[in-house]
Amino acid sequence: MKMTITIAIDGPAASGKSTIAKQIAKKLNITYIDTGAMYRGVTLAILKRGIEVDNVQEIRNILNNIELDFNFVNGVQHLFLDGQDAEEEIRSIEVSQNVSAVSALDFVREKLVDLQRKMAEKQSVVMDGRDIGTVVLPKADFKFFFIASPEIRAQRRYDENIARGINTQTFEELKQDIIRRDEYDSTREHSPLKQADDAIAVDTGLLSIEENVEYVLSLIQKTN
Ligand code: CDP
Ligand code: CDP
């Protein structure tokens, strides 16, 4: 009898993946894995070492010296880079603007996909990202693909920033960043953002967070 379950949630930026995945993980008492945080961690490590994101050779040289971990801080999962809590820094504008270039590199993806598969081997997980249902866990028990319009997604990021006292980007700038990143992520050669054939599409723009969680859980429980 299969003892573990794997849930894959993919979709574009700010479609609600991590918010919903965290709550699903809590309700089902399983582990949440934020793969976007891992790509952001590698990007931050590159920027911190003063390497340009188009310097492929240098990135290849240092990749194996980058140490990524997830640890809990006050009950919340944080990404640690080279032993330091980097949860805040990986969400900076600079990282957001450079992460798509780094995540398009095949050897970066190879390393992170390998780590992600190992994390999902021995435990039940809900994992979110861009290629979880298509590449990382093609045999996941449940696959969801979240969508919402760029306007709704930019408004969400804008509201989040305001709530955190950040007003460095206008709504229009955030929208353009999101559209540019979606385009880059969807058209790259290696593991582009794409709905798996067997994934269920969820338009999160139509749902409150509570409704979104309940809907996804109802689909999991119905077929489990
Ligand atoms: O939270 P947000 O949607 O803004 O982004 P994220 O999930 O933190 O992911 C940041 C970036 O990492 C994405 O724009 C992708 O370029 C990359 N990524 C990826 O290529 N594959 C994944 N499985 C997860 C993220
Ligand atoms: O992980 P991803 O980038 O896909 O998105 P997120 O960071 O989980 O969600 C972006 C924002 O959308 C958060 O502020 C959520 O609270 C919000 N959200 C929402 O308003 N309604 C939903 N149904 C899902 C998320």
Side-chain angles (χ1 to χ4, degrees), residues 10-18 32 34-40 43 90-91 95-96 99-104 109 113 116 127-132 136 153 157 178 181-182 184-185 188 190-191 193:
D10 291 302
S15 56
K17 303 179 297 294
S18 63
Y32 165 57
D34 178 354
T35 66
M38 298 168 77
Y39 288 95
R40 286 174 178 274
T43 306
I90 59 167
R91 316 275 165 202
V95 171
S96 296
V99 62
S100 286
V102 172
S103 64
R109 303 204 70 81
V113 168
Q116 291 154 11
M127 192 181 278
D128 80 339
R130 302 294 188 287
D131 60 340
I132 311 307
V136 182
R153 292 184 287 125
R157 282 281 183 259
I178 280 183
R181 194 143 57 90
D182 287 353
Y184 207 130
D185 291 344
R188 69 182 176 216
H190 308 289
S191 310
L193 166 68

Side-chain angles (χ1 to χ4, degrees), residues 38-164:
M38 298 168 77
Y39 288 95
R40 286 174 178 274
V42 171
T43 306
L44 178 62
I46 292 166
L47 297 174
K48 278 194 160 200
R49 285 160 170 82
I51 300 168
E52 301 286 335
V53 291
D54 57 0
N55 190 342
V56 176
Q57 193 50 50
E58 261 309 288
I59 296 175
R60 201 187 280 277
N61 289 344
I62 58 123
L63 189 63
N64 284 332
N65 303 330
I66 298 173
E67 200 192 310
L68 296 178
D69 279 308
F70 284 113
N71 290 309
F72 280 89
V73 178
N74 302 326
V76 180
Q77 200 183 63
H78 284 204
L79 184 101
F80 278 62
L81 169 63
D82 300 327
Q84 303 277 323
D85 188 344
E87 187 59 32
E88 183 91 26
E89 256 185 299
I90 59 167
R91 316 275 165 202
S92 69
I93 299 175
E94 205 190 357
V95 171
S96 296
Q97 288 176 339
N98 287 289
V99 62
S100 286
V102 172
S103 64
L105 299 170
D106 57 346
F107 59 92
V108 171
R109 303 204 70 81
E110 218 170 276
K111 182 184 159 92
L112 295 191
V113 168
D114 195 48
L115 274 173
Q116 291 154 11
R117 286 189 181 140
K118 285 204 174 89
M119 289 178 188
E121 243 165 39
K122 295 192 186 77
Q123 55 180 345
S124 292
V125 295
V126 47
M127 192 181 278
D128 80 339
R130 302 294 188 287
D131 60 340
I132 311 307
T134 51
V135 175
V136 182
L137 304 172
K139 293 193 179 138
D141 299 301
F142 302 96
K143 295 183 187 178
F144 297 96
F145 194 83
F146 284 7
I147 50 171
S149 71
E151 287 73 21
I152 287 181
R153 292 184 287 125
Q155 188 65 49
R156 288 172 173 176
R157 282 281 183 259
Y158 185 77
D159 293 344
E160 270 176 21
N161 284 352
I162 296 295
R164 287 158 63 199

